[in-house]
Amino acid sequence: MVTLQVERVSKLYGGFVALQEVELELGCGVYGLLGPNGAGKTTLMRVMTDLLAPSRGRVLCNGRDIHAMGADYRDLLGYLPQDFGVYPNFTAEGFLCYIARLKGLGRAAARQKTAELLELVGLSDRRKRRLGGFSGGERQRVGIAQALLNEPQVLILDEPTAGLDPQERIRFRGLLNRLGKDRLVLLSTHIVSDVESAADQVILLRRGQVIGQGTPTELLRQLEGKVWNVPVTAQEQEALAARYPCSNVSRVDGVTYMRLIADAPPTGRAEGVPANLEDLSLYHFGQTDR
Ligand SMILES: Nc1ncnc2c1ncn2[C@@H]1O[C@H](COP(=O)(O)OP(=O)(O)OP(=O)(O)O)[C@@H](O)[C@H]1O
Ligand SMILES: [Mg+2]
């Protein structure tokens, strides 16, 4: 079983602190790194892939410094960068074979692995098509496939669901589930529903700091008794919105309900409801990105 340890990692860009003393311990399973734009997700992932040197701290894989491991670590690692670009004139099959060869697979092995992975990401029927004509979601699936070519023990996916439509998102969750069974998968996202249904553990990153880690259920405990469904009049709505974080507004049978986060019932008609990750995200990150 593989483990990754992030030990007091800080990263400064000039005077700007992008990561501050990040401590993490990861084993097998699917981890969702959740944070708003600019939180430091990509920076942390680049440090964890050894593409970016931290200003302080280090990352260990099975107890060994990943930078010192060099090629040994890259053999264990699969990575989907946030800005994954493809060569438009390659076919899906041609591209994966090409990358497989770059990763050191022999010709026959490259071909076989390519066929296997195209099947896994559901692109076998489109293997002869050029990537230039692929949809965003299809391209993203090629990206996931290339990250899996060397059967990595550590799989790091930066915003893998960007550009996927709702159906593709569901399929992707199924794929993640299978992948997380016997390896370490870390994916970043700012979409709460991605981690809600796909991640075993959620890591909350805000302004370069880890502000929480745990299973969704564990993290939601902090909000127990703090989420309220409140029927409101048009006049009340504005005042309540100014006073409390509001994670949803809905209308049922002509009545407007606000979903508010507050330590005590915001009005006499407020009804306590179980918290969800959307509430948690609002609670920690607010409505606006940094
Ligand atoms: N090379 C760089 N030089 C200077 N500042 C940088 C550099 N790369 C990132 N930053 C800054 O560091 C912060 C974290 O950036 P990062 O890309 O890690 O965030 P992120 O969580 O991945 O955001 P997003 O959700 O938009 O992908 C941002 O404020 C960004 O502007
Ligand atoms: Mg990013």
Side-chain angles (χ1 to χ4, degrees), residues 13 16 18 36-43 82 159 190 290:
Y13 292 115
F16 178 79
N37 290 134
K41 302 181 296 295
T42 296
T43 302
Q82 184 166 11
E159 308 260 359
H190 51 264
R290 171 154 73 164

Side-chain angles (χ1 to χ4, degrees), residues 232-254:
V232 294
T233 62
Q235 295 93 304
E236 281 174 316
Q237 197 169 336
E238 210 169 312
L240 286 169
R243 200 150 164 218
Y244 302 104
C246 171
S247 59
N248 198 17
V249 178
S250 56
R251 235 178 129 69
V252 183
D253 297 333

Side-chain angles (χ1 to χ4, degrees), residues 93-243:
E93 190 175 49
F95 174 73
L96 289 174
C97 266
Y98 171 68
I99 302 291
R101 298 283 281 153
L102 287 183
K103 288 194 178 182
L105 273 75
R107 198 180 296 269
R111 215 173 279 149
Q112 169 166 0
K113 196 74 207 160
T114 293
E116 228 174 79
L117 288 173
L118 283 168
E119 185 68 40
L120 185 75
V121 298
L123 287 176
S124 292
D125 55 333
R126 277 154 277 183
R127 67 185 185 281
K128 301 275 186 216
R129 279 184 26 201
R130 283 184 200 284
L131 297 175
F134 271 33
S135 73
E138 288 168 341
R139 231 173 274 184
Q140 205 65 335
R141 282 190 266 160
V142 173
I144 292 164
Q146 65 77 34
L148 288 168
L149 277 168
N150 54 338
E151 298 189 24
Q153 282 296 295
V154 175
L155 186 59
I156 296 185
L157 308 171
D158 199 352
E159 308 260 359
T161 60
L164 300 192
D165 66 27
Q167 216 178 345
E168 284 171 326
R169 253 166 230 279
I170 293 167
R171 200 166 12 193
F172 176 68
R173 278 174 212 153
L175 176 61
L176 270 185
N177 252 323
R178 272 175 282 153
L179 293 175
K181 284 212 162 53
D182 51 1
R183 51 170 84 72
L184 189 166
V185 183
L186 176 66
L187 70 127
S188 73
T189 181
H190 51 264
I191 300 166
V192 173
S193 58
D194 280 350
V195 294
E196 193 146 41
S197 40
D200 305 309
Q201 289 256 333
V202 179
I203 298 159
L204 301 173
L205 193 68
R206 186 180 66 190
R207 298 183 185 177
Q209 287 184 292
V210 173
I211 56 166
Q213 186 190 346
T215 65
T217 318
E218 283 165 358
L219 289 172
L220 289 177
R221 235 169 256 147
Q222 319 167 347
L223 276 187
E224 226 166 82
K226 292 191 175 149
V227 185
W228 308 91
N229 201 25
V230 189
V232 294
T233 62
Q235 295 93 304
E236 281 174 316
Q237 197 169 336
E238 210 169 312
L240 286 169
R243 200 150 164 218

